[in-house]
Structures are given as structure tokens and as C-alpha cells.
Amino acid sequence: MSKLYIYNLGYGLFPLDWEFCFLTVDEYKEKLKEKYYQNEEYNHHIAGDLSETFSSIDKTVAKAKNHFKKEFHGDENLRCLPMVFPIPKGDHTNGVAFCVILKRDEDGDTLVYSPIPLQYLNENI
């Protein structure tokens, strides 16, 4: 897997408290599976095998959790299950990449892990 860009929306400043509008990883996979099998032949042609997509999501989640555990050593309890969302890669593949959101229980610090740079998350408000 390639590099993950990490955006910390926290340190008590601007944590992401909109968790209700994101799907957990399991919820997302279930919805993805439903849509995929509605037109399996076409979707397989466009996106490839669904198990590869799930594997990509799982690898991103694992890498994010490892970083999160190191970042908040001893206080890495999650407020909610890991959440995921897709974003267009913006390249010749016409594919998507999957971003992961982890939210710390302690004070709501939120980290967004993305394989694609999300430059606007670096900007100070």
C-alpha cells in the first residue's frame, strides 16, 4: 500500500463531530456489496473483484489503527467504530481510494487517513 496522509482534526480545536453522516467500515462494505451485486458483471469490469476492494479498505484501516495506537499510546480507545468514505483518485484509473476516520474517545480528537492528499485539511482556519 502506498503512503497515507494523516490529518489530525483535534488537539481540542476542530474535531469532527459529524460521525452520524459517515458509515462504519462494516456498514460501508455491506452497502457496497449490495450495489455491486445489482450489476455484478459491469461492476466487476469497472472496479475489479469485490474482495480486492474489501482488502484495500482493510489494509487502510489496519495501517490507520497502528498509527493511531502509536499517536495516542495508552489512550487510544475509539469513541465509535472506524468510519470510511470513498474519494475519486483523479487519475487514469477512474478509480476510488478509501479514507478512514478514527475518533478518540477521550476528547474526540479525530484523525483522517487518506491515500490521496486532502490539502484543505492542512489549512488553518
Side-chain angles (χ1 to χ4, degrees):
M1 176 195 309
S2 61
K3 173 182 175 151
L4 280 182
Y5 297 88
I6 303 163
Y7 304 94
N8 191 332
L9 311 177
Y11 301 121
L13 298 175
F14 304 107
L16 177 65
D17 288 331
W18 283 62
E19 60 196 67
F20 66 87
C21 68
F22 292 98
L23 296 176
T24 67
V25 172
D26 289 340
E27 290 169 336
Y28 184 80
K29 285 180 176 180
E30 194 57 40
K31 296 265 185 204
L32 190 60
K33 188 164 64 173
E34 286 174 24
K35 290 194 74 106
Y36 185 88
Y37 288 120
Q38 287 175 0
N39 192 348
E40 183 177 359
E41 185 178 332
Y42 174 76
N43 289 327
H44 188 313
H45 175 71
I46 296 298
D49 190 72
L50 192 56
S51 64
E52 292 174 19
T53 301
F54 287 172
S55 176
S56 173
I57 292 170
D58 291 341
K59 286 176 184 174
T60 303
V61 170
K63 195 169 184 179
K65 281 182 165 181
N66 284 338
H67 173 271
F68 195 84
K69 187 174 184 170
K70 289 176 188 170
E71 181 77 10
F72 300 109
H73 181 70
D75 194 14
E76 69 272 3
N77 293 328
L78 296 175
R79 181 171 290 179
C80 56
L81 294 170
M83 298 172 284
V84 64
F85 64 95
I87 56 171
K89 286 183 178 178
D91 64 13
H92 69 283
T93 66
N94 291 319
V96 298
F98 297 96
C99 300
V100 171
I101 302 169
L102 299 179
K103 188 167 185 62
R104 190 162 72 123
D105 190 36
E106 154 72 31
D107 61 6
D109 285 349
T110 308
L111 276 75
V112 177
Y113 297 86
S114 174
I116 307 289
L118 303 173
Q119 190 60 37
Y120 64 94
L121 290 179
N122 278 333
E123 297 173 9
N124 294 323
I125 297 175

